[in-house]
Amino acid sequence: MRILDLTAILVSLTAALTFLNARYLKLPTSIGITIGGLIVSLVVFGLVELDVPFARDAVELVRGIQFSDFVFEGVLSFLLFAGALGVNSPALWSLRGPVISFALLSTALSIALVGGGMYLLLGLFNLDIPLVYCLLFGALISPTDPIAVLGMLKEAKVPKRIETLVAGESLFNDGVGVVAFAVLASVAAVSQVGGSHGAGGHGPELSVAGVAGFFAQEALGGLVLGAVLGYIAWLALRALDDFVAEVLVTLSLVLACTAVATQLHVSAPLAAVAAGLLVGSLNDRVPSALSARERYEGFWHLTDELLNIFLFALLALEVVAVRFSVQSLLLGALAIPLVLLARTISVQIPISVLRRRHEFSPFTRRLMIWGGLRGAISVALAFSVPAGKERDLFLVMTYVVVVFSIVVQGLSVGRLAAKAGADHEARERPAEN
């Protein structure tokens, strides 16, 4: 089987699943595609067990795909740029304190809680996995993916403050989580090979100051790079009134963020977020650019939807290549309550601290906890773990958590969002009368 054949199968499968979901299931796209992908995965599993040549060749070809490279050097920056471009930048700026607190404090707490809990859990199963690898699992499972939830929040007409908070927290949560994963992966590599620096001299020095400096380089460097390139792109967009040229400028901006960030060893995801927010916010202040912005934002909204559909369909094929065991499935099931507990604590503590200066709408805490879905980013990070027993175990555990998150949480969070919307309308009604 050629890569072209696999691509044709993947695109056709994606189209079929999207059609069935839109025509019959009518679920949020990512949830419908995930459920359909699960069914397809089970069918392929059965065909492989029956030693059907076509299925066996497809699985071998999928195993050769660098899923993590596909996501991090291609899809992720585009997704985050599109998400940032669609965020109400002034509203996000007004919530900058809570958003930054959740992105930094909540992510750090989640990594520590999941990593520590996983270290204890694996010890009960007599699995000798170093603490740094358990923290690595905490880093890969902490980024949230609210794409399906945001659609439900808009339909349920929840307060814009909640919608902005969830969107902003996720954008920066993803970037911070990826940076934290890179830092921990470098520390793990250093601890394995010995010495004071990572491979190629780009990893952190094994000290608090070294790790903090490496994190600052990745995070702050990515934000600064995105701001600089985003401003240059805005200067070009301001002088244009041509849809094709505007699209090409924004496409080149995302590609430049990714390529330059890789060369400078800074965070490409955070660069894409900063560039998207800057381009969007500056256009808000230029009335003559609003019509142009509507045109290329429509393009980026469509791109966002298509990439997510394709990503979840690819995920369905990727999981076929993962080697499962009863123990790894059990550990994955046990990881679900651990991840939910860590999410609850990591959201509750910042809210308790910030409540003294910021007002949070009812249902904010519940929507952030239950709406904190895990998605393809977590799976891509799991594929990035160095080859070995840790990688095989984390892949299965991550997939179990992601499937539960998207299917169970994703299917039930809509009712919670509807309650939040109804509560908001009930509170607004007396004020109107």
Side-chain angles (χ1 to χ4, degrees), residues 289-356:
L290 289 179
S291 60
R293 183 188 178 193
E294 289 174 359
R295 291 201 298 272
Y296 68 75
E297 273 198 351
F299 164 82
W300 278 102
H301 177 73
L302 176 61
T303 301
D304 189 25
E305 291 289 336
L306 290 176
L307 284 176
N308 272 288
I309 292 171
F310 189 78
L311 201 56
F312 280 103
L314 179 60
L315 181 60
L317 288 182
E318 279 287 339
V319 72
V320 179
V322 176
R323 294 175 176 84
F324 290 86
S325 69
V326 175
Q327 185 183 62
S328 61
L329 288 171
L330 176 59
L331 285 169
L334 293 174
I336 292 171
L338 174 61
V339 171
L340 286 174
L341 177 61
R343 177 67 177 174
T344 301
I345 296 173
S346 64
V347 168
Q348 181 59 51
I349 290 178
I351 285 181
S352 300
V353 174
L354 294 168
R355 188 170 281 157
R356 302 169 186 173

Side-chain angles (χ1 to χ4, degrees), residues 69-307:
D69 290 346
F70 172 76
V71 173
F72 292 115
E73 296 181 8
V75 176
L76 184 56
S77 293
F78 284 89
L79 289 175
L80 292 178
F81 178 83
L85 196 65
V87 170
N88 186 326
S89 299
L92 182 62
W93 179 253
S94 69
L95 291 172
R96 60 190 180 279
V99 167
I100 293 174
S101 298
F102 283 118
L104 293 176
L105 181 58
S106 293
T107 304
L109 283 171
S110 177
I111 292 172
L113 291 170
V114 173
M118 187 53 59
Y119 183 73
L120 296 175
L121 180 61
L122 293 175
L124 295 176
F125 282 78
N126 296 318
L127 293 174
D128 184 22
I129 294 181
L131 177 60
V132 66
Y133 276 94
C134 295
L135 292 173
L136 202 59
F137 176 75
L140 70 86
I141 208 66
S142 292
T144 56
D145 183 7
I147 294 161
V149 177
L150 286 176
M152 296 179 190
L153 296 183
K154 291 179 181 179
E155 290 181 8
K157 298 180 180 179
V158 301
K160 288 293 182 183
R161 185 180 177 88
I162 296 181
E163 186 181 321
T164 302
L165 189 60
V166 171
E169 187 255 353
S170 176
L171 280 174
F172 287 98
N173 165 294
D174 287 349
V176 171
V178 171
V179 172
F181 179 88
V183 172
L184 289 167
S186 296
V187 172
V190 170
S191 63
Q192 275 191 338
V193 302
S196 59
H197 293 279
H202 299 306
E205 184 180 336
L206 283 183
S207 66
V208 174
V211 172
F214 186 71
F215 184 89
Q217 173 191 326
E218 286 274 333
L220 296 179
L223 292 173
V224 170
L225 174 65
V228 171
L229 294 180
Y231 182 70
I232 295 172
W234 172 74
L235 291 176
L237 290 169
R238 186 176 62 173
L240 291 172
D241 190 23
D242 180 84
F243 171 68
V244 175
E246 291 158 359
V247 169
L248 287 174
V249 167
T250 50
L251 282 172
S252 65
L253 170 60
V254 180
L255 290 171
C257 284
T258 305
V260 177
T262 302
Q263 293 299 318
L264 296 179
H265 304 288
V266 298
S267 173
L270 285 176
V273 170
L277 288 174
L278 185 64
V279 169
S281 65
L282 287 174
N283 280 337
D284 280 336
R285 300 173 193 169
V286 184
S288 62
L290 289 179
S291 60
R293 183 188 178 193
E294 289 174 359
R295 291 201 298 272
Y296 68 75
E297 273 198 351
F299 164 82
W300 278 102
H301 177 73
L302 176 61
T303 301
D304 189 25
E305 291 289 336
L306 290 176
L307 284 176

Side-chain angles (χ1 to χ4, degrees), residues 379-420:
V379 178
L381 287 172
F383 273 100
S384 300
V385 175
K389 62 178 182 180
E390 296 89 359
R391 180 178 183 269
D392 294 339
L393 176 61
F394 289 169
L395 275 171
V396 177
M397 292 169 57
T398 301
Y399 189 72
V400 172
V401 173
V402 167
V403 168
F404 173 88
S405 176
I406 293 176
V407 176
V408 178
Q409 291 177 244
L411 288 176
S412 57
V413 75
R415 291 192 292 272
L416 183 59
K419 290 182 180 179

